[in-house]
Amino acid sequence: MKKLLVLAISVFTLNMATAQTQVGEVTLPNTLEFSGENLMLNGGGIRKKAMMLKLYSGGLYLAKKSKDAKSIINGDQTMAIRLVITSSFVSSEAMSDAVEEGFEASTQENTSGIASEILKFKGFFSEEIVEGDIFDITYQKGKGSVVYKNDKMLGTIEGMTFKKALFGIWLGNDPADSKLKNGMLGK
């Protein structure tokens, strides 16, 4: 009986250990669920600025693993990017500025068709941001781009054009951080 109990505890501990992935100082879950769909961690990495400053750890979650950035960006299936803030340098203003720059890069400076959506998205970062905050930037098939902060839904933005530009911030040809992109793609 004692051996059975030890075995059960070992299996439970092993399952708990493999249910998460360490990305820098952050532990990301290996799965997330949105719109009733289970998503698996495709890969993750750290967003750095000026080589030394670690701003956040991020993970890309997909229904099926993929290394193809273009198909992910263009895909009309539920997916998510989780960002865990790891620096006090990430303020509401800094995040808003970074998002603006990200959309400019993602769209090759052609944001006119989604300007109102970008303004709404930037509003999701208007409240104070502190270390440890978790943002889930999701695309949910049939709903649109839905953003959460610490599990609280901030809002939804419809449209594939916006979704493609949004995921292009991290996965596009001119990503926010190329090492983070490669990490999210599992490379």
Side-chain angles (χ1 to χ4, degrees):
M1 182 68 175
K2 189 175 182 180
K3 288 181 182 180
L4 186 59
L5 181 61
V6 171
L7 177 63
I9 291 172
S10 298
V11 169
F12 178 75
T13 304
L14 180 61
N15 285 340
M16 290 300 291
T18 61
Q20 302 175 47
T21 298
Q22 196 72 27
V23 179
E25 299 170 11
V26 171
T27 304
L28 294 175
N30 284 342
T31 60
L32 292 175
E33 183 181 326
F34 294 101
S35 287
E37 289 193 50
N38 288 318
L39 304 175
M40 69 181 89
L41 181 63
N42 193 68
I46 301 169
R47 169 72 166 106
K48 295 181 182 176
K49 188 119 179 155
M51 299 292 287
M52 297 297 289
L53 185 60
K54 297 175 184 176
L55 302 176
Y56 58 79
S57 289
L60 172 65
Y61 291 82
L62 304 171
K64 182 180 174 188
K65 290 197 175 217
S66 174
K67 294 182 185 293
D68 186 347
K70 189 173 183 178
S71 71
I72 295 167
I73 290 169
N74 292 318
D76 185 16
Q77 59 261 359
T78 299
M79 59 185 66
I81 292 177
R82 173 165 278 191
L83 306 178
V84 181
I85 307 302
T86 57
S87 171
S88 60
F89 286 102
V90 181
S91 65
S92 177
E93 184 178 331
M95 187 65 108
S96 182
D97 290 345
V99 163
E100 185 78 37
E101 290 173 19
F103 277 113
E104 290 288 332
S106 176
T107 63
Q108 293 80 45
E109 299 186 25
N110 185 16
T111 60
S112 60
I114 56 170
S116 62
E117 290 89 344
I118 292 171
L119 187 61
K120 181 178 180 179
F121 184 78
K122 287 172 49 177
F124 298 155
F125 304 102
S126 61
E127 292 181 10
E128 180 184 20
I129 297 173
V130 297
E131 285 181 56
D133 278 345
I134 299 171
F135 288 93
D136 288 312
I137 299 167
T138 73
Y139 174 75
Q140 297 175 34
K141 186 173 180 158
K143 290 184 182 178
S145 299
V146 185
V147 179
Y148 304 83
K149 179 182 180 186
N150 301 324
D151 293 323
K152 176 186 169 196
M153 188 176 86
L154 301 177
T156 303
I157 301 172
E158 296 178 359
M160 278 299 290
T161 302
F162 178 79
K163 181 266 181 182
K164 290 176 184 180
L166 177 60
F167 278 76
I169 291 173
W170 293 276
L171 302 173
N173 293 332
D174 187 11
D177 185 307
S178 59
K179 286 185 180 179
L180 175 58
K181 173 184 174 177
N182 287 335
M184 286 182 167
L185 292 174
K187 295 182 179 181

